[in-house]
Amino acid sequence: MKTNESAENYLETILMLKKKTGSVRSIDVAHELSFSKPSVSVAMKNFREKGYISIDGDGSIILTDKGLAIAERVFERHQVIASALMALGVDEKTAYEDSCKIEHDISDTSFELIKKFLAKSKN
């Protein structure tokens, strides 16, 4: 499924906040990404319409299977690429910042080869 970088960042942020706090609301996403609440509200409306999220009765954001698949894919890329950069000697802060940029553009082939390389180097 093809999504744009902004959508991927939103969905990954929802996943990370859910893992950290257990519940995510639009205001949490706005604070985490330093976006305005109206901007996040528009994005959440679009995500509901596309079937990426649902909102429960208390306003908590829930990733649908479709949204969760995208968020987990981006999160995995973020973690693996950061690990690869750190293995090359990049400091942690820079590795995570750079991985956030790379995760959206790297091909599936390159990403899978990086994963295989890291797995081999850990053995």
Side-chain angles (χ1 to χ4, degrees):
M1 166 172 315
K2 185 70 177 149
T3 54
N4 67 35
E5 183 175 334
S6 177
E8 289 176 348
N9 282 336
Y10 270 111
L11 295 170
E12 181 186 24
T13 298
I14 292 166
L15 176 65
M16 291 185 330
L17 289 170
K18 174 78 172 160
K19 287 180 180 206
K20 189 180 344 180
T21 64
S23 178
V24 182
R25 298 170 58 103
S26 290
I27 192 69
D28 303 321
V29 176
H31 287 140
E32 184 71 19
L33 295 174
S34 299
F35 291 165
S36 70
K37 187 158 178 359
S39 294
V40 173
S41 292
V42 168
M44 294 306 110
K45 179 180 183 270
N46 290 333
F47 291 159
R48 276 193 318 271
E49 290 171 356
K50 291 180 179 180
Y52 297 147
I53 65 165
S54 62
I55 308 288
D56 70 12
D58 71 350
S60 293
I61 301 167
I62 299 156
L63 290 167
T64 63
D65 289 344
K66 186 174 166 181
L68 182 61
I70 295 166
E72 287 178 336
R73 180 181 62 82
V74 175
F75 182 75
E76 178 190 29
R77 286 174 172 236
H78 194 132
Q79 299 302 312
V80 169
I81 293 166
S83 293
L85 292 171
M86 287 185 284
L88 294 170
V90 177
D91 68 272
E92 184 175 0
K93 181 180 185 299
T94 302
Y96 276 99
E97 288 171 357
D98 288 349
S99 70
C100 193
K101 298 168 193 166
I102 296 167
E103 70 194 15
H104 304 286
D105 294 322
I106 193 169
S107 70
D108 291 340
T109 301
S110 294
F111 178 70
E112 289 303 319
L113 289 171
I114 290 170
K115 274 179 40 176
K116 285 180 185 174
F117 179 80
L118 284 177
K120 283 181 189 175
S121 68
K122 288 182 181 179
N123 293 334

